[in-house]
């Protein structure tokens, strides 16, 4: 309630003796209460409580700058829109409160998926999108391809601020490198033997391209889910693939047989070589022994050649003559014919 000031009036009183004096009489305002009726002013209680509340509010505001980054996350801190901490690792951290600093957390271990050559539901529904999935091979054939790409956040600040649409950038880089690798190969190689090589080469090349764009992602894998020829030539391609599979199977069987027989043949050859070497050593030792004995005999013979010669002659005859039929003729050429038929009765003479 507003206070109405008092108005003082000064007037002169003359008491008849020529002397007068001034009297100050406070005149009350008609709407103002007399001084003895005015209520004393009381201080408002809210003023003493506002200061602690303000201090508490400021403390809470400062504490709001404390934040926690979980084990599977990394964070980026911006101050008035400018990056001040591009990578904050898991733990408890402090920054300036909002709206000065802003903390953005990203799950860097979470794998994100995208499909090149179609959409994610296509792999479930089994449908194809010809315009999106067609690739041209090196021998001018068209194939339908669908690949699933898995990637994760590598540099949080680049992921947030360097690329407007990270998924589209990754898909474009992977599609470019897949087209480049497929365009260098024949359709038979693409559909049969070079699938894994195409995946690895495309992943490495697409990662280099994404790093050049500073997209802040890491490609974990590229998995080609389906790679088929156009429906018009599908049957012929299946026959070719079946023939190649049979050829590979037969080759593997032959290779297995060769791997089984070659060690056996080598073992037998080694055994024969060792047997021949042992036989050779045996014969050499026998020959050396016979030669040594002959040399000993020759030495003994040379000492008394006449006696030893006659003895050897007689010993030889003792070994040879009992085994053969023989005729003994004297020095005049006469011999007894009955010796030839020893034990037989001589034939009777005929009478003339």
């Amino acid at each position: 309630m507003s206070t109405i000031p008092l108005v003082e009036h000064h007037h002169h009183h003359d008491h008849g003796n020529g002397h007068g004096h001034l009297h100050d009489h406070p005149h009350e305002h008609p709407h103002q209460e007399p001084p003895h009726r005015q209520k004393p002013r009381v201080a408002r209680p809210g003023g003493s409580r506002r200061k602690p509340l303000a201090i508490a509010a400021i403390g809470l505001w400062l504490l709001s700058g404390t934040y926690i980054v979980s084990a599977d996350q990394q964070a980026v801190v911006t101050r008035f829109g400018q990056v001040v901490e591009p990578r904050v690792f898991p733990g408890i951290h402090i920054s300036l409160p909002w709206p000065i600093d802003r903390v953005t957390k990203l799950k860097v271990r979470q794998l994100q998926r995208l499909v090149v050559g179609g959409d994610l539901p296509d792999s479930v529904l089994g449908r194809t999108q010809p315009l999106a999935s067609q690739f041209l091979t090196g021998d001018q054939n068209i194939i339908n391809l669908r690949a699933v790409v898995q990637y994760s956040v590598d540099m949080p600040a680049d992921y947030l601020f360097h690329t407007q649409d990270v998924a589209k950038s990754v898909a474009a880089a992977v599609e470019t490198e897949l087209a480049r690798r497929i365009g260098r190969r024949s359709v038979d190689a693409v559909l049969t033997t070079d699938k894994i090589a195409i995946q690895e080469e495309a992943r490495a090349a697409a990662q280099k391209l994404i790093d050049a764009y500073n997209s802040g992602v890491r490609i974990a894998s590229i998995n080609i889910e389906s790679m088929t020829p156009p429906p018009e030539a599908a049957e012929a391609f299946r026959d070719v693939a079946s023939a190649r599979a049979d050829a590979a199977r037969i080759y593997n069987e032959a290779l297995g047989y060769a791997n089984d027989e070659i060690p056996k043949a080598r073992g037998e050859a080694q055994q024969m070589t060792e047997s021949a070497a042992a036989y050779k050593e045996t014969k050499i030792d026998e020959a050396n022994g016979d030669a040594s004995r002959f040399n000993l005999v020759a030495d003994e013979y040379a000492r008394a050649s006449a006696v030893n010669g006659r003895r050897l002659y007689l010993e030889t005859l003792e070994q040879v003559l009992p085994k053969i039929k023989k005729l003994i003729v004297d020095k005049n050429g006469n011999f007894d014919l009955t010796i030839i038929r020893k034990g037989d009765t001589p034939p009777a003479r005929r009478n003339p």
Side-chain angles (χ1 to χ4, degrees):
M1 181 173 61
S2 61
T3 304
I4 301 176
L6 295 176
V7 180
E8 295 182 353
H9 298 275
H10 303 274
H11 58 273
H12 186 269
H13 291 272
D14 190 2
H15 297 281
N17 54 1
H19 298 282
H21 60 273
L22 292 175
H23 295 274
D24 293 334
H25 298 281
H27 293 271
E28 298 178 357
H29 194 277
H31 299 286
Q32 183 178 5
E33 295 180 354
H36 62 276
R37 294 183 180 180
Q38 290 183 354
K39 298 179 179 179
R41 297 182 180 180
V42 180
R44 296 182 179 180
S48 61
R49 296 181 181 178
R50 288 177 183 177
K51 188 175 181 179
L53 291 176
I55 295 175
I58 293 173
L60 292 175
W61 179 70
L62 292 175
L63 288 176
S64 65
T66 303
Y67 62 96
I68 299 175
V69 181
S70 61
D72 62 339
Q73 293 179 335
Q74 291 182 11
V76 178
V77 180
T78 57
R79 183 167 299 159
F80 298 116
Q82 183 179 3
V83 177
V84 293
E85 293 188 39
R87 172 178 282 183
V88 180
F89 292 97
I92 301 175
H93 305 276
I94 299 176
S95 65
L96 295 179
W98 185 89
I100 300 175
D101 284 358
R102 184 183 297 271
V103 179
T104 304
K105 301 176 184 179
L106 296 173
K107 292 185 177 181
V108 295
R109 295 184 181 179
Q110 181 179 2
L111 290 177
Q112 304 181 49
R113 290 165 53 94
L114 61 87
V115 176
V116 174
D119 297 327
L120 283 174
D122 293 341
S123 58
V124 179
L125 300 177
R127 65 189 180 189
T128 59
Q129 298 184 22
L131 296 180
S133 62
Q134 287 182 350
F135 289 82
L136 188 65
T137 63
D139 52 0
Q140 304 300 313
N141 286 291
I142 296 176
I143 61 171
N144 295 326
L145 182 144
R146 183 173 64 248
V148 176
V149 183
Q150 291 185 327
Y151 65 95
S152 60
V153 178
D154 186 37
M155 295 295 295
D158 293 344
Y159 179 84
L160 289 174
F161 303 111
H162 277 84
T163 305
Q164 183 176 6
D165 193 332
V166 176
K168 286 185 179 180
S169 298
V170 174
V174 172
E175 184 176 357
T176 299
E177 296 303 329
L178 282 174
R180 186 173 300 172
R181 267 65 192 172
I182 292 173
R184 296 175 181 174
R185 292 172 167 85
S186 65
V187 65
D188 293 337
V190 171
L191 293 176
T192 54
T193 58
D194 289 0
K195 176 181 176 181
I196 297 177
I198 291 173
Q199 294 177 166
E200 292 300 321
E201 292 176 9
R203 186 197 63 79
Q207 184 64 59
K208 291 182 180 179
L209 192 59
I210 291 172
D211 291 342
Y213 294 157
N214 291 328
S215 297
V217 299
R218 179 67 54 186
I219 298 177
S221 65
I222 298 176
N223 183 26
I224 298 177
E225 285 191 339
S226 66
M227 190 162 46
T228 59
E232 297 80 6
E235 187 65 28
F237 275 97
R238 279 194 291 268
D239 293 340
V240 172
S242 177
R244 289 183 180 275
D246 292 340
R249 177 180 55 80
I250 295 172
Y251 172 79
N252 291 331
E253 291 177 356
L255 186 62
Y257 177 77
N259 292 334
D260 184 42
E261 292 297 325
I262 289 176
K264 291 182 180 179
R266 288 176 178 173
E268 293 176 357
Q270 183 68 24
Q271 184 178 1
M272 293 176 64
T273 301
E274 293 175 356
S275 299
Y279 178 77
K280 173 184 175 181
E281 295 295 330
T282 301
K283 290 301 179 182
I284 290 174
D285 292 340
E286 291 179 356
N288 290 331
D290 294 340
S292 298
R293 286 193 299 271
F294 181 80
N295 291 331
L296 292 175
V297 172
D299 292 341
E300 294 295 331
Y301 180 79
R303 294 176 183 175
S305 58
V307 177
N308 290 328
R310 185 173 183 81
R311 182 175 62 80
L312 291 174
Y313 177 76
L314 293 176
E315 289 178 355
T316 303
L317 289 179
E318 287 179 355
Q319 294 178 2
V320 174
L321 290 178
K323 298 178 182 179
I324 61 174
K325 293 183 179 180
K326 47 193 175 294
L327 297 175
I328 300 175
V329 182
D330 60 10
K331 60 183 180 177
N332 295 323
N334 298 321
F335 60 89
D336 188 0
L337 295 178
T338 58
I339 296 176
I340 299 175
R341 298 179 180 178
K342 186 176 181 180
D344 295 340
T345 303
R349 294 183 177 181
R350 294 181 182 180
N351 293 324

